């Protein structure tokens, strides 16, 4: 992904200390450690900053819908969207690490109907999502991450 975006530098990891530590452990172990948070499966999301063009990385909990990964823009129940979500709206091409596997994907915000269909599964995966949703007037987005074809050399 770095080369695709003209950026050879390694990804800039979240400024949150615990996220940075988990991302480093996840990546340095080749996806064998740091793969859960509070018992919930996590993935590494690499994306491009909408203003800076910098390759960024964060750790996010996920659910599944078939072969796709679902991430929730809860921002801990805050009244504002997480920065990663704003960046995905601007550029939906991402790279994921899920366990030992790394692959390109495209991000798409779910429609209201799709979100309602998958919401019970997401709350089962991480029950706090229900509390977060109830504590804000903001529409908490759910994003589908769908694997795309691997680039060939």
């Amino acid at each position: 992904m770095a080369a695709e975006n003209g950026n050879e530098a390694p990804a800039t990891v979240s400024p949150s200390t615990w996220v940075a530590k988990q991302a480093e452990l996840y990546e340095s172990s080749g996806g064998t450690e740091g793969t859960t948070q509070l018992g919930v499966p996590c993935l590494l999301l690499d994306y491009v900053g909408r203003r800076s063009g910098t390759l960024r990385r964060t750790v996010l909990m996920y659910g599944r819908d078939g072969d796709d990964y679902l991430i929730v823009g809860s921002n801990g129940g805050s009244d504002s969207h997480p920065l990663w979500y704003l960046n995905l709206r601007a550029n939906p091409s991402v790279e994921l690490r899920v366990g030992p596997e790394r692959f390109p994907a495209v991000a798409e915000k779910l429609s209201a109907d799709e979100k309602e269909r998958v919401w019970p599964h997401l709350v089962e995966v991480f029950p706090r999502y229900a509390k977060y949703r109830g504590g804000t007037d903001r529409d908490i987005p759910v994003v589908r991450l769908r694997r795309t074809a691997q680039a060939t050399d």
Side-chain angles (χ1 to χ4, degrees):
M1 176 170 202
E4 291 173 16
N5 293 301
N7 185 347
E8 297 298 330
T12 299
V13 181
S14 169
S16 170
T17 302
W18 75 265
V19 174
K21 285 181 180 178
Q22 185 174 359
E24 173 58 30
L25 176 62
Y26 203 133
E27 186 64 24
S28 67
S29 73
T32 61
E33 297 179 51
T35 60
T36 62
Q37 181 64 241
L38 303 173
V40 179
C42 295
L43 54 77
L44 288 182
L45 175 71
D46 289 0
Y47 59 93
V48 176
R50 68 192 183 287
R51 294 183 191 149
S52 67
T54 300
L55 184 62
R56 301 192 178 278
R57 175 173 293 152
T58 195
V59 178
L60 295 169
M61 295 173 171
Y62 70 86
R64 296 297 302 262
D65 187 33
D67 291 336
D68 299 334
Y69 298 88
L70 302 174
I71 54 177
V72 178
S74 66
N75 206 14
S78 159
D79 288 333
S80 60
H81 291 304
L83 293 177
W84 63 258
Y85 173 71
L86 300 175
N87 288 308
L88 294 189
R89 287 191 344 199
N91 183 355
S93 295
V94 300
E95 188 169 278
L96 304 180
R97 176 180 287 282
V98 181
E101 189 176 15
R102 182 173 279 290
F103 54 91
V106 65
E108 174 190 16
K109 180 184 174 196
L110 295 186
S111 69
D113 288 344
E114 286 181 296
K115 181 169 114 175
E116 290 311 310
R117 179 181 64 79
V118 300
W119 190 255
H121 163 65
L122 294 168
V123 170
E124 183 178 312
V125 168
F126 189 59
R128 288 186 201 173
Y129 286 146
K131 180 181 176 188
Y132 295 165
R133 191 179 195 189
T136 183
D137 291 331
R138 176 174 65 91
D139 179 35
I140 294 178
V142 175
V143 175
R144 175 182 309 280
L145 300 170
R146 179 166 287 150
R147 182 188 301 259
T148 57
Q150 294 277 2
T152 58
D153 293 331

